[in-house]
Amino acid sequence: SHSTGYSENPEVNFSKYNKTSAEYNIQKLLEIIDVARTYGVNVVGIVFPQNPLYISKENIWGRYGPSLSDAKMLLNTLDSIAKVKDNFYILDEYKNGKNDYESEDFANDDHLGLSGAKKLTVRLDSLLLKIQ
């Protein structure tokens, strides 16, 4: 597939953060982590990179939101879960837009292209080998 990179004016489809849905999904994640533990399985959450201009230019976390403050709260929650659940890991490749993914690594504003996918896959593989 052809990678065009990300845009200087990223497409925004902002959705208001739904705290009730987020809390429901966090509970589901906790259930998945606990069930996985009973089988000796690790769970890895991946934060995929997006166009960094969502944060620096649009002042939102990504194409669909959430706001920067809601994103920070959610990421802090996930970090807290990873600290107490020894079979849950987070691979944050977005790093709030401060990462080493270049425009050429993207197919568009919020999807990696082939080179970006290769970069992420190498890092995921490294994490999986470390935790197996």
Side-chain angles (χ1 to χ4, degrees), residues 99-126:
N99 56 59
D100 62 352
Y101 288 83
E102 305 297 328
S103 182
E104 304 78 53
D105 290 326
F106 286 82
N108 57 35
D109 288 321
D110 63 335
H111 293 90
L112 291 172
L114 196 54
S115 64
K118 286 179 181 175
K119 191 181 284 190
L120 188 140
T121 301
V122 166
R123 294 169 185 181
L124 176 58
D125 187 54
S126 175

Side-chain angles (χ1 to χ4, degrees), residues 64-125:
Y64 301 98
S67 68
L68 296 178
S69 60
D70 286 335
K72 183 177 183 179
M73 184 177 59
L74 189 55
L75 291 166
N76 285 342
T77 299
L78 293 172
D79 281 338
S80 298
I81 293 170
K83 284 183 175 81
V84 297
K85 301 289 186 179
D86 62 1
N87 66 320
F88 178 60
Y89 300 86
I90 301 168
L91 179 64
D92 182 358
E93 288 295 291
Y94 189 26
K95 298 179 175 86
N96 290 316
K98 303 212 181 323
N99 56 59
D100 62 352
Y101 288 83
E102 305 297 328
S103 182
E104 304 78 53
D105 290 326
F106 286 82
N108 57 35
D109 288 321
D110 63 335
H111 293 90
L112 291 172
L114 196 54
S115 64
K118 286 179 181 175
K119 191 181 284 190
L120 188 140
T121 301
V122 166
R123 294 169 185 181
L124 176 58
D125 187 54

Side-chain angles (χ1 to χ4, degrees), residues 4-34:
T4 56
Y6 57 69
S7 161
E8 290 301 309
N9 295 298
E11 188 170 333
V12 174
N13 304 97
F14 190 82
S15 298
K16 190 170 175 340
Y17 185 70
N18 184 324
K19 196 171 171 143
T20 304
S21 292
E23 288 169 359
Y24 174 84
N25 288 325
I26 289 165
Q27 286 309 310
K28 289 293 165 201
L29 174 62
L30 289 166
E31 290 172 23
I32 290 167
I33 294 166
D34 289 342

